[in-house]
Amino acid sequence: MVWIAIRMLTGDATKFYGLLFGIAFSTLLITQQLTIFVNLIERGASGVYNVPSADVWVMDPVSRTTDVHLPMPSTALDRVRSVAGVEWAVPHLRAAASVRTKEGDLEGVSVIGVDDATLIGLPRRMALGAADVLERPDAVVIDDVGTVRFFPVGYNPVGERLELNDQRAVIMGVADAIPSFTSQVTLYTRYSRALNFVPGTRNRLSFVLVGAAPGVEAKALATRITKDTGLRARTRDEFARDGVDFIIENTGIPLNFGITVLLGFVVGVAIVGLTFSLFIRDNIKQFGALKAIGVNNAKIRRMVAAQAGMVGLIGYGLGVLGTVGFIWGFSGNPTFKGFYIPWQVPLISLVAVTLILALTGWIALRRVLKTEPAAVFR
Amino acid sequence: MSSAAEAEAKAVAAVAAISTRGVARDFTAGQQTIRVLHGIDLDVRAGELTYLVGESGSGKTTLISIMCGILWPTEGEVRLFGTDIYHLSDSDLVDFRLRNVGFIFQQYNLIPAIDAASNAAVPLIAQGMDRMEARDRAIELLAALNIADQADKLPNQLSGGQQQRVAIARALVHQPRLIVCDEPTAALDARSGRRVMDLLREVALADDRSVIIVTHDNRIFDLADRILVLEDGRITHDGRDMPKDH
Ligand SMILES: Nc1ncnc2c1ncn2[C@@H]1O[C@H](COP(=O)(O)OP(=O)(O)OP(=O)(O)O)[C@@H](O)[C@H]1O
Ligand SMILES: [Mg+2]
């Protein structure tokens, strides 16, 4: 009977494709939007992810994220270095600055000052040039997304001069970095140079990046640093989470994406529900005849379930494929750099699709079950 | 066995096919409850082709629906081959129909998306038989009904008469003991109607089956073994031929 059910469904091409479209559309909308959402809010942690070698981030007690922070006096560095279990500690400066482009436009940029000696603070990989280009005076390294914002795609910016806060800077390399949440251009330079580029008050040290001694656990080390220095210390994972939470709490992004995802669900219910009930209405005579002949309710249930299952499987597959295609298609676009589909996302849309089909299938089934077999003679 | 004893044995078996006692049925429309069948007592013998005729609204469809187990009577009892069918559980009754009753509808009610042979095989598939085996059995019946060459066609590729023959095959494929037909020829022209009825009589009446046909079609009255006339929910005539005043 399942074979008959499937043939009934596929035999009505218009409604079959309508159902597939409904499910595929819902899946695509939900999967794609959730994927963008997750990747976008994870950008709140990009500043942390770009410095994977730091086990612990130390900051002023009021600082919250890599971008929302209060600088500390430079003496903080020595205090942190003296804490037991600290293998190394380096200064890290993050500040806003402006760049005057060749066209004369003013662009806001982030300046990151990395440790002069070890260059810790620079992303692990360079897209162009080696990390040691920062040894040169005036040298800055630009992040790859920043390159496309300042220069034409495919342009090699090495050697280009910039006016950074009215001071001369020369791009000497391109870093392979995860873009920031705002996809603002980021310029890396040595800590000592950064102090020149970004004038300010006495306190300029944004963070102290700490490596834990072998065998020392990051969490325990962070607790000890706080106890000994009175500064706020967060492990890499905690601080990444802080960045994500900050975006969730302070932007309308979760609400916006939430609404779109809900819309995907509602549209799915509407399209699938409508098409499914049209399909059942058109086939109600046949279902009635089957019931009169002696097909019991359990078999009828299995038939409708098979129809829903078939639509669900194919439609869901198409929707997920569509999302993969979307991510793949835009993988060259810097805005979508590093985007991936977390495994939870297809699972969530699978649950949504199952809900849509369970709901609409149940309504359709009720109609079939309620049909009197005696109605076939009328 | 003597021929007298043989006749006796046949009669005993025959009595058991269908019997209704005091069957009544009410329908409620809005505030009003209308009784459309009044205390029907009826015995249908095996091996007989019985016609149920009467004016529109006289209760024919209601009566055969009750007789074949798809409509509950308000009062009375229906025995099919000795089983008191309305005292079975719902699922046992469905199962009983699947094994014992074949249906032929005015509108054929074939499944448009599957071919003639598969349509005719539906009761066997519903019984759980392998689909290919069921199809083979159905094709044998289609051959007996002279449409074996249409076995692979979809219902909408067939004429009305051919579709009704597929429906007859579907009603017979699982060898039920009772066949019920409501206006099987109403949608057919005179010639196809006659042919369909000839075939139905020829194929269906084998093996001591009972066939009950509701019809208006006076062109085919001569085929009946027995004609019952229903008037306002009561049987007013029971005989081999139509009453003179009809
Ligand atoms: N489900 C129902 N609800 C209410 N009234 C019904 C229902 N089914 C039948 N009736 C009424 O019962 C009476 C008998 O109906 P039935 O269908 O048995 O007549 P019929 O002899 O088959 O008529 P026709 O020749 O037009 O098919 C009619 O008055 C009809 O309106
Ligand atoms: Mg009728």
Side-chain angles (χ1 to χ4, degrees):
Chain A
M1 295 313 286
V2 165
W3 175 80
I4 292 175
I6 297 298
R7 291 299 299 265
M8 281 170 88
L9 181 69
T10 55
D12 189 344
T14 320
K15 293 197 193 65
F16 181 53
Y17 292 134
L19 287 167
L20 284 188
F21 173 80
I23 291 295
F25 179 77
S26 274
T27 308
L28 180 69
L29 210 60
I30 293 172
T31 316
Q32 191 246 30
Q33 289 294 300
L34 280 179
T35 296
I36 294 179
F37 171 71
V38 169
N39 282 281
L40 210 55
I41 60 167
E42 282 207 347
R43 294 259 164 106
S46 64
V48 180
Y49 292 147
N50 277 331
V51 194
S53 54
D55 296 318
V56 176
W57 289 64
V58 184
M59 65 206 87
D60 185 276
V62 301
S63 296
R64 294 194 58 187
T65 71
T66 49
D67 298 315
V68 182
H69 56 78
L70 188 71
M72 305 173 281
S74 51
T75 53
L77 180 60
D78 289 327
R79 277 154 63 210
V80 172
R81 278 181 174 151
S82 65
V83 175
V86 171
E87 171 93 348
W88 51 259
V90 297
H92 191 69
L93 181 147
R94 301 177 79 95
S98 45
V99 157
R100 194 179 295 281
T101 61
K102 260 195 204 147
E103 289 78 35
D105 295 332
L106 213 55
E107 275 261 7
V109 299
S110 304
V111 172
I112 296 181
V114 306
D115 183 42
D116 286 44
T118 61
L119 299 182
I120 287 172
L122 206 57
R124 200 177 356 209
R125 277 189 306 272
M126 296 289 285
L128 276 178
D132 59 16
V133 295
L134 283 183
E135 311 278 323
R136 273 191 47 163
D138 306 339
V140 294
V141 164
I142 190 169
D143 69 318
D144 44 0
V145 172
T147 308
V148 253
R149 290 186 63 135
F150 276 179
F151 306 102
V153 176
Y155 183 82
N156 180 351
V158 172
E160 283 290 333
R161 280 154 206 277
L162 296 173
E163 234 178 83
L164 177 57
N165 277 3
D166 293 330
Q167 303 201 39
R168 207 178 72 115
V170 185
I171 296 175
M172 294 307 294
V174 178
D176 177 4
I178 305 166
S180 68
F181 175 69
T182 54
S183 23
Q184 205 174 35
V185 178
T186 304
L187 297 174
Y188 297 87
T189 180
R190 284 186 299 157
Y191 188 80
S192 55
R193 294 290 313 154
L195 292 175
N196 287 341
F197 282 128
V198 187
T201 52
R202 237 156 29 92
N203 296 345
R204 311 280 291 283
L205 179 60
S206 311
F207 298 95
V208 176
L209 305 184
V210 172
V216 177
E217 227 217 312
K219 179 71 198 151
L221 182 57
T223 312
R224 198 173 323 138
I225 291 172
T226 302
K227 202 171 122 253
D228 291 3
T229 64
L231 297 169
R232 186 167 190 251
R234 304 287 279 164
T235 66
R236 184 177 50 235
D237 292 344
E238 285 172 345
F239 203 41
R241 182 77 228 165
D242 289 346
V244 171
D245 287 348
F246 187 83
I247 288 178
I248 292 177
E249 286 159 22
N250 291 283
T251 67
I253 289 177
L255 183 69
N256 277 313
F257 279 87
I259 288 172
T260 314
V261 167
L262 194 72
L263 222 62
F265 184 79
V266 171
V267 168
V269 169
I271 298 180
V272 175
L274 213 66
T275 317
F276 217 160
S277 60
L278 277 179
F279 168 74
I280 295 291
R281 200 194 61 189
D282 284 359
N283 287 279
I284 201 74
K285 271 272 179 191
Q286 278 79 41
F287 276 115
L290 290 176
K291 289 182 74 165
I293 287 169
V295 177
N296 60 29
N297 283 350
K299 285 189 195 126
I300 296 275
R301 272 192 205 100
R302 246 172 282 149
M303 288 178 77
V304 175
Q307 289 165 343
M310 165 122 174
V311 167
L313 230 59
I314 300 179
Y316 173 75
L318 288 175
V320 170
L321 264 181
T323 308
V324 171
F326 172 86
I327 300 293
W328 184 77
F330 281 87
S331 59
N333 185 321
T335 315
F336 295 97
K337 187 185 171 194
F339 267 35
Y340 69 105
I341 304 178
W343 63 267
Q344 293 93 334
V345 167
L347 203 68
I348 290 171
S349 43
L350 183 64
V351 170
V353 164
T354 310
L355 275 177
I356 291 173
L357 285 168
L359 190 71
T360 56
W362 176 72
I363 292 169
L365 182 65
R366 246 177 24 145
R367 176 132 185 229
V368 179
L369 293 183
K370 262 177 34 193
T371 304
E372 292 281 338
V376 290
F377 277 145
R378 258 179 249 132
Chain B
M1 228 192 285
S2 74
S3 65
E6 232 176 66
E8 170 88 48
K10 255 193 172 164
V12 170
V15 165
I18 310 173
S19 71
T20 71
R21 288 294 172 269
V23 164
R25 172 73 202 202
D26 297 340
F27 283 116
T28 310
Q31 305 279 343
Q32 266 189 321
T33 298
I34 305 163
R35 177 147 293 200
V36 299
L37 288 179
H38 302 270
I40 305 283
D41 297 323
L42 188 64
D43 289 296
V44 176
R45 290 174 284 273
E48 271 189 1
L49 182 64
T50 305
Y51 274 15
L52 196 54
V53 301
E55 291 190 345
S56 184
S58 58
K60 306 180 296 292
T61 297
T62 307
L63 181 56
I64 60 156
S65 299
I66 290 174
M67 286 168 79
C68 69
I70 59 173
L71 184 69
W72 269 254
T74 310
E75 289 169 16
E77 188 184 276
V78 179
R79 287 184 174 273
L80 281 189
F81 318 106
T83 304
D84 184 355
I85 55 172
Y86 291 107
H87 282 98
L88 294 173
S89 71
D90 283 9
S91 64
D92 285 346
L93 178 55
V94 174
D95 221 52
F96 184 90
R97 289 202 303 267
L98 183 57
R99 279 179 287 107
N100 295 294
V101 185
F103 292 87
I104 299 170
F105 312 103
Q106 179 179 336
Q107 295 301 333
Y108 327 131
N109 287 340
L110 299 174
I111 295 170
I114 60 178
D115 66 18
S118 298
N119 261 294
V122 160
L124 292 177
I125 297 171
Q127 284 177 359
M129 186 185 282
D130 171 72
R131 186 159 59 82
M132 284 307 158
E133 195 185 335
R135 259 181 74 92
D136 289 344
R137 295 253 204 114
I139 289 171
E140 282 171 32
L141 255 178
L142 292 178
L145 293 161
N146 301 326
I147 46 164
D149 53 332
Q150 313 291 323
D152 297 331
K153 291 200 178 157
L154 294 177
N156 65 12
Q157 297 168 320
L158 302 176
S159 72
Q162 289 170 330
Q163 288 187 58
Q164 195 58 304
R165 279 186 269 168
V166 174
I168 291 172
R170 179 177 65 185
L172 297 173
V173 73
H174 52 311
Q175 315 258 337
R177 290 187 281 176
L178 170 65
I179 315 277
V180 291
C181 326
D182 197 356
E183 313 267 11
T185 59
L188 302 175
D189 61 67
R191 236 179 53 127
S192 341
R194 178 80 198 187
R195 270 177 61 105
V196 162
M197 285 306 301
D198 280 336
L199 280 168
L200 184 59
R201 192 183 158 81
E202 188 185 310
V203 181
L205 274 184
D207 313 323
D208 273 358
R209 265 194 203 113
S210 301
V211 181
I212 304 179
I213 299 173
V214 168
T215 188
H216 277 116
D217 194 348
N218 55 19
R219 302 165 304 205
I220 54 176
F221 283 163
D222 57 306
L223 292 172
D225 294 315
R226 184 182 181 190
I227 296 178
L228 299 168
V229 177
L230 207 56
E231 274 176 56
D232 291 332
R234 291 186 175 81
I235 292 172
T236 56
H237 170 86
D238 182 351
R240 172 96 220 187
D241 302 298
M242 278 302 279
K244 291 282 172 290
D245 55 331
H246 264 75

